[in-house]
Each structure stands twice: as structure tokens, then as C-alpha cells.
Coordinates of all heavy atoms in Angstrom, one line a residue:
M1 N -49.3 23.1 49.4 CA -48.8 22.0 48.6 C -48.0 22.5 47.4 O -48.4 23.4 46.7 CB -49.9 21.1 48.1 CG -49.5 19.9 47.4 SD -51.0 18.9 47.1 CE -50.4 17.3 47.5
R2 N -46.8 22.0 47.3 CA -45.9 22.5 46.2 C -46.3 21.8 44.9 O -46.5 20.6 44.8 CB -44.5 22.2 46.5 CG -44.0 23.1 47.7 CD -42.6 22.8 48.1 NE -41.8 22.9 46.9 CZ -40.5 22.8 47.0 NH1 -39.9 22.7 48.2 NH2 -39.7 22.9 45.9
K3 N -46.2 22.6 43.9 CA -46.5 22.0 42.5 C -45.2 21.4 42.0 O -44.1 22.0 42.1 CB -47.0 23.1 41.6 CG -47.4 22.6 40.2 CD -47.9 23.8 39.4 CE -48.2 23.3 38.0 NZ -48.7 24.4 37.2
A4 N -45.2 20.3 41.4 CA -44.1 19.6 40.8 C -43.5 20.5 39.7 O -44.2 21.1 38.9 CB -44.4 18.3 40.3
K5 N -42.2 20.5 39.6 CA -41.5 21.3 38.6 C -41.7 20.7 37.2 O -41.5 19.5 37.0 CB -40.0 21.4 38.9 CG -39.3 22.3 38.0 CD -37.8 22.4 38.4 CE -37.1 23.3 37.4 NZ -35.6 23.3 37.8
S6 N -42.3 21.5 36.3 CA -42.5 20.9 35.0 C -41.2 20.9 34.1 O -40.4 21.7 34.3 CB -43.6 21.7 34.2 OG -43.1 23.0 34.0
S7 N -41.1 19.9 33.3 CA -39.9 19.8 32.5 C -40.2 20.4 31.1 O -41.3 20.5 30.6 CB -39.6 18.3 32.3 OG -40.6 17.6 31.6
T8 N -39.1 20.9 30.6 CA -39.2 21.5 29.3 C -39.1 20.5 28.2 O -38.6 19.3 28.5 CB -38.0 22.5 29.1 OG1 -36.8 21.8 29.2 CG2 -38.0 23.6 30.2
P9 N -39.4 20.8 27.0 CA -39.3 19.8 25.9 C -37.9 19.4 25.7 O -37.6 18.2 25.4 CB -39.9 20.5 24.7 CG -40.8 21.6 25.2 CD -40.2 22.0 26.5
W10 N -36.9 20.3 25.9 CA -35.5 20.0 25.7 C -35.0 19.0 26.8 O -34.3 18.1 26.5 CB -34.6 21.2 25.7 CG -34.8 22.1 24.5 CD1 -35.4 23.3 24.5 CD2 -34.4 21.8 23.2 NE1 -35.5 23.8 23.2 CE2 -34.8 22.9 22.4 CE3 -33.8 20.7 22.6 CZ2 -34.6 22.9 21.0 CZ3 -33.5 20.8 21.2 CH2 -34.0 21.8 20.5
S11 N -35.5 19.2 28.0 CA -35.1 18.3 29.1 C -35.7 16.9 28.8 O -35.0 15.9 29.0 CB -35.6 18.9 30.4 OG -35.4 17.9 31.4
L12 N -36.9 16.9 28.4 CA -37.5 15.6 28.1 C -36.8 14.9 26.9 O -36.6 13.7 27.0 CB -39.0 15.7 27.8 CG -39.8 14.5 27.5 CD1 -39.7 13.6 28.8 CD2 -41.2 14.8 27.1
S13 N -36.5 15.6 25.9 CA -35.8 15.0 24.8 C -34.4 14.5 25.2 O -34.0 13.5 24.8 CB -35.6 16.1 23.7 OG -36.8 16.5 23.2
A14 N -33.7 15.3 26.1 CA -32.4 14.9 26.6 C -32.5 13.6 27.4 O -31.7 12.7 27.3 CB -31.8 15.9 27.4
R15 N -33.6 13.5 28.2 CA -33.8 12.2 28.9 C -34.1 11.1 28.1 O -33.6 9.9 28.3 CB -34.9 12.5 30.0 CG -34.5 13.3 31.1 CD -35.7 13.5 32.1 NE -35.4 14.4 33.1 CZ -34.9 14.1 34.3 NH1 -34.6 12.9 34.6 NH2 -34.7 15.1 35.2
V16 N -34.9 11.3 27.0 CA -35.2 10.2 26.1 C -34.0 9.7 25.4 O -33.7 8.5 25.3 CB -36.3 10.6 25.1 CG1 -36.5 9.6 24.0 CG2 -37.7 10.8 25.9
L17 N -33.2 10.7 24.9 CA -31.9 10.3 24.3 C -31.0 9.6 25.2 O -30.3 8.6 24.8 CB -31.2 11.5 23.7 CG -31.8 12.0 22.4 CD1 -31.1 13.3 21.9 CD2 -31.7 10.9 21.3
A18 N -30.9 10.0 26.5 CA -30.1 9.4 27.5 C -30.6 8.0 27.7 O -29.7 7.0 27.8 CB -30.1 10.2 28.8
A19 N -31.9 7.8 27.8 CA -32.4 6.5 28.0 C -32.1 5.5 26.8 O -31.7 4.4 27.1 CB -33.9 6.5 28.2
I20 N -32.3 6.0 25.6 CA -32.1 5.1 24.5 C -30.6 4.9 24.2 O -30.1 3.8 24.2 CB -32.7 5.7 23.2 CG1 -34.3 5.7 23.4 CG2 -32.4 5.0 22.0 CD1 -35.0 6.5 22.4
L21 N -29.8 6.0 24.0 CA -28.4 5.9 23.6 C -27.5 5.5 24.8 O -26.7 4.6 24.7 CB -27.9 7.1 23.0 CG -28.7 7.6 21.7 CD1 -28.2 8.9 21.2 CD2 -28.6 6.5 20.6
G22 N -27.7 6.2 25.9 CA -26.9 5.9 27.1 C -27.2 4.5 27.7 O -26.3 3.8 28.1
G23 N -28.5 4.2 27.7 CA -28.8 2.8 28.2 C -28.3 1.7 27.3 O -27.8 0.7 27.8
Y24 N -28.3 2.0 26.0 CA -27.7 1.0 25.1 C -26.2 0.9 25.3 O -25.7 -0.3 25.3 CB -28.0 1.3 23.6 CG -27.5 0.3 22.6 CD1 -28.3 -0.8 22.4 CD2 -26.3 0.5 22.0 CE1 -27.8 -1.8 21.5 CE2 -25.9 -0.5 21.1 CZ -26.6 -1.6 20.9 OH -26.2 -2.6 20.0
A25 N -25.5 2.0 25.4 CA -24.1 1.9 25.6 C -23.7 1.2 26.9 O -22.8 0.4 27.0 CB -23.5 3.3 25.6
L26 N -24.5 1.5 27.9 CA -24.3 0.9 29.2 C -24.5 -0.6 29.1 O -23.7 -1.4 29.7 CB -25.2 1.5 30.3 CG -25.1 0.9 31.7 CD1 -23.7 1.2 32.2 CD2 -26.1 1.5 32.6
A27 N -25.5 -1.0 28.4 CA -25.8 -2.5 28.3 C -24.7 -3.1 27.5 O -24.3 -4.3 27.8 CB -27.2 -2.7 27.6
Y28 N -24.2 -2.4 26.5 CA -23.1 -3.0 25.6 C -21.8 -3.2 26.4 O -21.3 -4.3 26.4 CB -22.8 -2.0 24.5 CG -21.7 -2.5 23.6 CD1 -21.8 -3.5 22.7 CD2 -20.5 -1.8 23.7 CE1 -20.8 -3.9 21.9 CE2 -19.4 -2.2 23.0 CZ -19.5 -3.2 22.0 OH -18.5 -3.6 21.3
V29 N -21.4 -2.2 27.2 CA -20.2 -2.4 27.9 C -20.4 -3.3 29.2 O -19.4 -4.0 29.6 CB -19.5 -1.1 28.4 CG1 -19.1 -0.3 27.2 CG2 -20.4 -0.3 29.3
A30 N -21.6 -3.4 29.7 CA -21.8 -4.3 30.8 C -21.7 -5.7 30.3 O -21.2 -6.6 31.0 CB -23.2 -4.0 31.4
T31 N -22.2 -6.0 29.1 CA -22.1 -7.3 28.5 C -20.6 -7.7 28.3 O -20.2 -8.8 28.6 CB -22.8 -7.4 27.1 OG1 -24.1 -7.0 27.3 CG2 -22.7 -8.7 26.5
A32 N -19.8 -6.7 27.8 CA -18.4 -7.0 27.7 C -17.7 -7.2 29.0 O -16.9 -8.1 29.2 CB -17.7 -5.8 26.9
F33 N -18.1 -6.4 30.0 CA -17.5 -6.5 31.3 C -17.8 -7.9 32.0 O -16.9 -8.6 32.5 CB -18.0 -5.4 32.2 CG -17.5 -5.4 33.6 CD1 -16.2 -5.0 33.9 CD2 -18.3 -6.0 34.6 CE1 -15.8 -5.0 35.2 CE2 -17.8 -6.0 35.9 CZ -16.6 -5.6 36.2
L34 N -19.1 -8.3 31.9 CA -19.5 -9.5 32.5 C -18.9 -10.7 31.7 O -18.6 -11.7 32.3 CB -21.0 -9.6 32.5 CG -21.7 -8.7 33.5 CD1 -23.2 -8.8 33.4 CD2 -21.2 -9.0 34.9
S35 N -18.7 -10.6 30.4 CA -18.1 -11.6 29.6 C -16.7 -11.9 30.0 O -16.1 -12.9 29.8 CB -18.2 -11.3 28.1 OG -19.5 -11.3 27.7
V36 N -16.0 -10.8 30.5 CA -14.6 -11.0 30.9 C -14.4 -11.5 32.3 O -13.6 -12.3 32.6 CB -13.9 -9.6 30.7 CG1 -12.5 -9.6 31.3 CG2 -13.8 -9.2 29.2
Y37 N -15.3 -10.9 33.2 CA -15.0 -11.1 34.6 C -15.8 -12.1 35.4 O -15.6 -12.4 36.5 CB -15.1 -9.8 35.4 CG -13.9 -8.9 35.0 CD1 -14.1 -7.8 34.1 CD2 -12.6 -9.1 35.5 CE1 -13.0 -7.0 33.8 CE2 -11.6 -8.3 35.1 CZ -11.8 -7.3 34.3 OH -10.7 -6.5 33.9
L38 N -16.9 -12.7 34.8 CA -17.7 -13.6 35.5 C -16.9 -14.9 35.7 O -16.2 -15.4 34.8 CB -19.0 -13.9 34.8 CG -20.1 -13.0 34.9 CD1 -21.3 -13.4 34.1 CD2 -20.6 -12.9 36.4
P39 N -17.0 -15.5 36.9 CA -16.2 -16.8 37.1 C -16.9 -18.0 36.6 O -17.3 -18.9 37.4 CB -16.1 -16.8 38.7 CG -17.3 -16.1 39.1 CD -17.6 -15.1 38.1
L40 N -17.2 -18.1 35.4 CA -17.9 -19.2 34.7 C -17.0 -19.7 33.5 O -16.1 -19.1 33.1 CB -19.3 -18.8 34.3 CG -20.2 -18.3 35.3 CD1 -21.5 -17.8 34.7 CD2 -20.6 -19.4 36.3
V41 N -17.5 -20.8 33.0 CA -16.9 -21.2 31.7 C -17.2 -20.2 30.6 O -18.2 -19.5 30.7 CB -17.5 -22.6 31.3 CG1 -16.9 -23.1 30.0 CG2 -17.3 -23.6 32.4
R42 N -16.3 -20.0 29.7 CA -16.4 -18.9 28.7 C -17.8 -18.9 28.0 O -18.4 -17.8 27.9 CB -15.3 -19.0 27.7 CG -15.3 -17.9 26.7 CD -14.3 -18.1 25.6 NE -14.4 -17.1 24.6 CZ -13.5 -16.1 24.4 NH1 -12.5 -16.0 25.2 NH2 -13.7 -15.2 23.5
S43 N -18.3 -20.0 27.6 CA -19.5 -20.0 26.9 C -20.7 -19.6 27.8 O -21.6 -18.9 27.4 CB -19.8 -21.4 26.3 OG -19.9 -22.4 27.3
E44 N -20.6 -20.0 29.0 CA -21.7 -19.6 30.0 C -21.6 -18.2 30.4 O -22.6 -17.5 30.6 CB -21.6 -20.5 31.2 CG -21.9 -21.9 31.0 CD -21.7 -22.8 32.2 OE1 -21.3 -22.3 33.2 OE2 -22.0 -24.0 32.1
R45 N -20.3 -17.6 30.4 CA -20.2 -16.2 30.7 C -20.8 -15.4 29.6 O -21.5 -14.4 29.9 CB -18.7 -15.8 30.7 CG -18.0 -16.1 32.0 CD -16.6 -15.6 32.0 NE -15.8 -16.3 31.0 CZ -14.5 -16.1 30.8 NH1 -13.9 -15.2 31.5 NH2 -13.9 -16.9 30.0
V46 N -20.6 -15.7 28.4 CA -21.1 -15.0 27.3 C -22.7 -15.0 27.3 O -23.4 -14.0 27.1 CB -20.6 -15.4 25.9 CG1 -21.2 -14.8 24.8 CG2 -19.1 -15.2 25.9
V47 N -23.2 -16.2 27.5 CA -24.7 -16.3 27.5 C -25.3 -15.6 28.7 O -26.3 -14.8 28.5 CB -25.1 -17.8 27.6 CG1 -26.6 -18.0 27.9 CG2 -24.7 -18.6 26.3
F48 N -24.7 -15.7 29.9 CA -25.2 -15.0 31.0 C -25.1 -13.5 30.8 O -26.0 -12.7 31.1 CB -24.5 -15.4 32.3 CG -25.0 -14.8 33.5 CD1 -26.1 -15.3 34.2 CD2 -24.5 -13.6 34.0 CE1 -26.7 -14.7 35.3 CE2 -25.0 -13.0 35.1 CZ -26.1 -13.6 35.8
A49 N -24.0 -13.0 30.3 CA -23.8 -11.6 30.1 C -24.7 -11.1 29.0 O -25.3 -9.9 29.2 CB -22.3 -11.3 29.7
S50 N -25.0 -11.8 28.0 CA -25.9 -11.4 27.0 C -27.4 -11.3 27.5 O -28.1 -10.4 27.1 CB -25.9 -12.3 25.8 OG -24.6 -12.4 25.2
L51 N -27.7 -12.2 28.3 CA -29.1 -12.1 28.9 C -29.2 -11.0 30.0 O -30.2 -10.4 30.1 CB -29.5 -13.5 29.5 CG -29.6 -14.6 28.5 CD1 -29.9 -15.9 29.2 CD2 -30.8 -14.3 27.5
A52 N -28.1 -10.8 30.7 CA -28.1 -9.8 31.8 C -28.2 -8.4 31.2 O -28.6 -7.4 31.8 CB -26.9 -9.9 32.7
C53 N -27.7 -8.2 29.9 CA -27.7 -6.9 29.3 C -29.1 -6.3 29.2 O -29.2 -5.1 29.2 CB -27.0 -6.9 28.0 SG -27.9 -7.5 26.6
F54 N -30.1 -7.1 29.1 CA -31.5 -6.6 29.0 C -31.9 -5.9 30.3 O -32.5 -4.9 30.3 CB -32.5 -7.7 28.6 CG -32.3 -8.2 27.2 CD1 -31.7 -9.5 27.0 CD2 -32.6 -7.5 26.1 CE1 -31.5 -10.0 25.7 CE2 -32.4 -7.9 24.8 CZ -31.9 -9.2 24.7
A55 N -31.5 -6.6 31.4 CA -31.8 -6.0 32.7 C -31.0 -4.7 32.9 O -31.5 -3.7 33.5 CB -31.5 -7.0 33.8
V56 N -29.7 -4.7 32.4 CA -28.9 -3.5 32.6 C -29.5 -2.3 31.7 O -29.5 -1.2 32.2 CB -27.5 -3.8 32.2 CG1 -26.6 -2.5 32.1 CG2 -26.8 -4.8 33.1
Y57 N -30.0 -2.7 30.6 CA -30.6 -1.7 29.7 C -31.9 -1.0 30.4 O -32.0 0.2 30.4 CB -31.0 -2.3 28.4 CG -31.3 -1.3 27.3 CD1 -31.0 0.0 27.4 CD2 -31.9 -1.8 26.1 CE1 -31.3 0.9 26.3 CE2 -32.1 -0.9 25.0 CZ -31.9 0.4 25.2 OH -32.1 1.3 24.1
V58 N -32.7 -1.9 31.0 CA -33.8 -1.4 31.7 C -33.4 -0.5 32.9 O -34.0 0.6 33.1 CB -34.7 -2.5 32.2 CG1 -35.8 -2.0 33.2 CG2 -35.3 -3.2 31.0
V59 N -32.4 -0.9 33.6 CA -31.9 0.0 34.7 C -31.4 1.3 34.2 O -31.6 2.4 34.8 CB -30.8 -0.8 35.5 CG1 -30.0 0.2 36.5 CG2 -31.3 -2.0 36.2
G60 N -30.7 1.3 33.0 CA -30.3 2.6 32.4 C -31.4 3.5 32.0 O -31.4 4.7 32.2
I61 N -32.5 2.9 31.5 CA -33.7 3.7 31.2 C -34.3 4.3 32.4 O -34.7 5.4 32.4 CB -34.7 2.8 30.4 CG1 -34.1 2.5 29.0 CG2 -36.0 3.5 30.2 CD1 -34.9 1.4 28.2
V62 N -34.5 3.4 33.4 CA -35.1 3.9 34.7 C -34.2 5.1 35.3 O -34.7 6.1 35.8 CB -35.3 2.8 35.7 CG1 -35.6 3.3 37.0 CG2 -36.3 1.8 35.1
W63 N -32.9 4.9 35.2 CA -32.0 5.9 35.8 C -32.2 7.2 35.0 O -32.1 8.3 35.6 CB -30.5 5.4 35.7 CG -29.6 6.6 36.0 CD1 -28.8 7.2 35.1 CD2 -29.4 7.2 37.2 NE1 -28.1 8.2 35.7 CE2 -28.4 8.3 37.0 CE3 -29.8 7.0 38.5 CZ2 -28.0 9.1 38.0 CZ3 -29.4 7.8 39.5 CH2 -28.5 8.8 39.3
A64 N -32.3 7.1 33.7 CA -32.4 8.4 32.9 C -33.7 9.2 33.3 O -33.6 10.4 33.2 CB -32.5 8.0 31.4
F65 N -34.7 8.5 33.7 CA -35.9 9.2 34.0 C -36.0 9.5 35.5 O -36.9 10.3 36.0 CB -37.2 8.5 33.5 CG -37.3 8.6 32.0 CD1 -36.9 7.5 31.2 CD2 -37.8 9.7 31.4 CE1 -37.0 7.6 29.9 CE2 -37.9 9.9 30.1 CZ -37.5 8.8 29.3
A66 N -35.2 8.8 36.3 CA -35.3 9.0 37.8 C -34.3 10.1 38.3 O -34.4 10.6 39.4 CB -35.0 7.7 38.5
A67 N -33.3 10.4 37.5 CA -32.3 11.4 37.9 C -33.0 12.8 38.0 O -34.0 13.1 37.4 CB -31.2 11.5 36.8
R68 N -32.3 13.6 38.9 CA -32.9 14.9 39.2 C -32.9 15.9 37.9 O -33.8 16.7 37.8 CB -32.1 15.6 40.3 CG -32.3 15.0 41.6 CD -31.6 15.7 42.7 NE -31.8 15.1 43.9 CZ -32.1 15.7 45.0 NH1 -32.2 17.0 45.0 NH2 -32.3 15.1 46.1
S69 N -32.0 15.7 37.1 CA -31.9 16.5 35.9 C -31.4 15.7 34.7 O -30.8 14.6 34.9 CB -31.0 17.7 36.1 OG -29.7 17.3 36.2
A70 N -31.6 16.2 33.5 CA -31.1 15.5 32.3 C -29.6 15.4 32.3 O -29.0 14.4 31.9 CB -31.6 16.1 31.1
L71 N -28.9 16.4 32.8 CA -27.5 16.4 32.9 C -27.0 15.3 33.8 O -26.0 14.6 33.5 CB -27.0 17.8 33.4 CG -25.5 17.9 33.5 CD1 -24.8 17.8 32.1 CD2 -25.1 19.2 34.1
L72 N -27.6 15.2 35.0 CA -27.2 14.1 35.9 C -27.5 12.7 35.3 O -26.7 11.8 35.5 CB -27.9 14.3 37.2 CG -27.4 15.4 38.1 CD1 -28.3 15.5 39.4 CD2 -26.0 15.2 38.5
A73 N -28.5 12.6 34.5 CA -28.8 11.3 33.9 C -27.7 11.0 32.9 O -27.2 9.9 32.9 CB -30.2 11.4 33.2
W74 N -27.3 12.0 32.1 CA -26.2 11.7 31.1 C -24.9 11.5 31.9 O -24.1 10.6 31.5 CB -26.0 12.9 30.2 CG -26.9 12.9 29.0 CD1 -28.0 13.6 28.8 CD2 -26.8 12.0 27.9 NE1 -28.6 13.2 27.6 CE2 -27.8 12.3 27.0 CE3 -25.9 11.0 27.5 CZ2 -28.0 11.6 25.8 CZ3 -26.0 10.3 26.3 CH2 -27.1 10.6 25.5
L75 N -24.6 12.2 32.9 CA -23.3 12.0 33.6 C -23.3 10.7 34.3 O -22.2 10.0 34.3 CB -23.1 13.2 34.6 CG -22.8 14.5 34.1 CD1 -22.7 15.6 35.2 CD2 -21.5 14.5 33.3
G76 N -24.4 10.3 34.9 CA -24.4 9.0 35.5 C -24.2 7.8 34.6 O -23.4 6.9 34.8
L77 N -24.9 7.9 33.4 CA -24.8 6.8 32.4 C -23.4 6.8 31.8 O -22.8 5.8 31.6 CB -25.9 7.0 31.4 CG -27.3 6.6 31.8 CD1 -28.3 7.0 30.8 CD2 -27.4 5.1 32.2
A78 N -22.9 8.0 31.5 CA -21.6 8.1 30.8 C -20.5 7.7 31.8 O -19.5 7.0 31.4 CB -21.4 9.5 30.3
G79 N -20.6 8.1 33.0 CA -19.5 7.7 34.0 C -19.5 6.2 34.2 O -18.4 5.6 34.2
L80 N -20.6 5.6 34.4 CA -20.6 4.1 34.6 C -20.2 3.4 33.4 O -19.5 2.4 33.4 CB -22.0 3.7 35.1 CG -22.2 2.2 35.5 CD1 -21.2 1.9 36.6 CD2 -23.6 1.9 36.0
T81 N -20.6 3.9 32.2 CA -20.2 3.3 30.9 C -18.7 3.3 30.8 O -18.1 2.4 30.4 CB -21.0 3.9 29.8 OG1 -22.4 3.8 30.0 CG2 -20.6 3.3 28.4
A82 N -18.1 4.5 31.1 CA -16.7 4.6 30.9 C -15.9 3.7 31.9 O -14.9 3.1 31.5 CB -16.3 6.1 31.2
L83 N -16.4 3.6 33.1 CA -15.7 2.7 34.1 C -15.8 1.3 33.6 O -14.8 0.6 33.7 CB -16.4 2.9 35.5 CG -16.0 4.1 36.3 CD1 -16.8 4.1 37.6 CD2 -14.5 4.1 36.5
L84 N -16.9 0.8 33.2 CA -17.0 -0.6 32.8 C -16.3 -0.8 31.5 O -15.7 -1.9 31.3 CB -18.5 -0.9 32.6 CG -19.4 -1.0 33.8 CD1 -20.8 -1.3 33.5 CD2 -18.8 -2.1 34.7
A85 N -16.2 0.2 30.6 CA -15.5 0.0 29.4 C -14.0 -0.1 29.6 O -13.3 -0.8 29.0 CB -15.8 1.2 28.4
L86 N -13.5 0.8 30.6 CA -12.1 0.7 30.9 C -11.7 -0.6 31.5 O -10.7 -1.2 31.1 CB -11.8 1.8 31.9 CG -11.4 3.2 31.4 CD1 -11.2 4.1 32.5 CD2 -10.2 3.1 30.6
A87 N -12.6 -1.2 32.4 CA -12.3 -2.5 33.0 C -12.4 -3.6 31.9 O -11.6 -4.5 32.0 CB -13.2 -2.7 34.1
A88 N -13.3 -3.5 31.0 CA -13.5 -4.6 30.1 C -12.5 -4.6 29.0 O -12.1 -5.7 28.5 CB -14.9 -4.5 29.5
Y89 N -12.1 -3.4 28.5 CA -11.2 -3.3 27.4 C -9.8 -3.0 27.8 O -9.0 -2.7 26.9 CB -11.8 -2.3 26.4 CG -13.1 -2.8 25.8 CD1 -14.2 -2.1 26.1 CD2 -13.1 -3.9 24.9 CE1 -15.4 -2.5 25.6 CE2 -14.3 -4.3 24.4 CZ -15.5 -3.6 24.7 OH -16.7 -4.0 24.2
L90 N -9.5 -3.0 29.0 CA -8.1 -2.7 29.5 C -7.2 -3.8 28.9 O -7.6 -5.0 29.0 CB -8.1 -2.7 31.0 CG -6.9 -2.0 31.7 CD1 -7.0 -0.5 31.3 CD2 -7.0 -2.1 33.2
P91 N -6.1 -3.5 28.4 CA -5.2 -4.5 27.8 C -4.8 -5.6 28.9 O -4.7 -5.3 30.1 CB -4.0 -3.8 27.4 CG -4.4 -2.4 27.2 CD -5.6 -2.2 28.2
G92 N -4.7 -6.8 28.4 CA -4.3 -7.9 29.3 C -2.9 -7.7 29.9 O -2.6 -8.4 30.9
D93 N -2.1 -6.8 29.4 CA -0.8 -6.6 29.9 C -0.7 -6.1 31.3 O 0.2 -6.3 32.0 CB 0.0 -5.7 29.0 CG 0.2 -6.2 27.6 OD1 0.1 -7.4 27.4 OD2 0.4 -5.4 26.7
F94 N -1.8 -5.5 31.7 CA -1.9 -5.0 33.1 C -2.2 -6.1 34.1 O -2.1 -5.8 35.3 CB -2.9 -3.9 33.2 CG -2.6 -2.6 32.5 CD1 -3.4 -2.2 31.4 CD2 -1.4 -1.9 32.7 CE1 -3.0 -1.0 30.7 CE2 -1.1 -0.8 32.0 CZ -1.9 -0.4 31.0
G95 N -2.5 -7.2 33.7 CA -2.7 -8.4 34.6 C -4.0 -8.3 35.3 O -4.1 -8.9 36.4
V96 N -5.0 -7.6 34.8 CA -6.3 -7.5 35.6 C -7.3 -8.5 35.1 O -8.3 -8.8 35.7 CB -6.9 -6.1 35.5 CG1 -6.0 -5.1 36.2 CG2 -7.1 -5.7 34.0
R97 N -7.1 -9.0 33.9 CA -8.0 -10.0 33.4 C -7.8 -11.4 34.0 O -6.6 -11.8 34.3 CB -7.9 -10.1 31.9 CG -8.5 -8.9 31.2 CD -8.6 -9.1 29.8 NE -9.3 -8.0 29.2 CZ -9.6 -7.9 28.0 NH1 -9.4 -8.9 27.1 NH2 -10.2 -6.8 27.5
P98 N -8.8 -12.1 34.3 CA -8.7 -13.4 34.9 C -8.0 -14.4 33.9 O -8.1 -14.3 32.7 CB -10.1 -13.8 35.2 CG -11.0 -13.0 34.4 CD -10.2 -11.7 34.1

């Protein structure tokens, strides 16, 4: 039977920071993204997006601790955050906003 690989204190600290900071950033841009692109009335989009951000934050936290390494946790959270931020804050001149 193989023994599970133990994590170092730095790895655990990196994962905790990824969960807190990366999860918060992901929740923030997911709220902005959903506020822009959900096919609802504006007030309902904002309310739904604000409530959904709590679920997104939890998913970010779970991802930070489920990833194979702390680096992959950071890369996954940062990559998804960057994609959603680009889509949400892209200028309207490109014609992508509804």
C-alpha cells in the first residue's frame, strides 16, 4: 500500500492563499460576467449573479485543495479568472455584450 504524499507547510500555505484570494477573485469576476451575460432583466441579473457568487467561491476553494499541486491550483484559478474578466470587462465596442 502506498503512503500518501505529505504536503509541505509552503504548499499548504499556497493552497490556503489560493483558496482565499483566488477564490474571491474568481467569485468577483464571475459576478461581473453573469451580470453582463445572463438573459434576464438587469435587476434580476445582478441579484442572481450576486447570489451565485457564493457557490462560485466554494467551487474555487474546493478546486484549490483538489488540484494535484499548489501551482496547478493557482494556474487554474488565475486562468479562469482572467478569461471571465476579459469577457466581462471587454469594451462594448467589440460588439460582444448583449
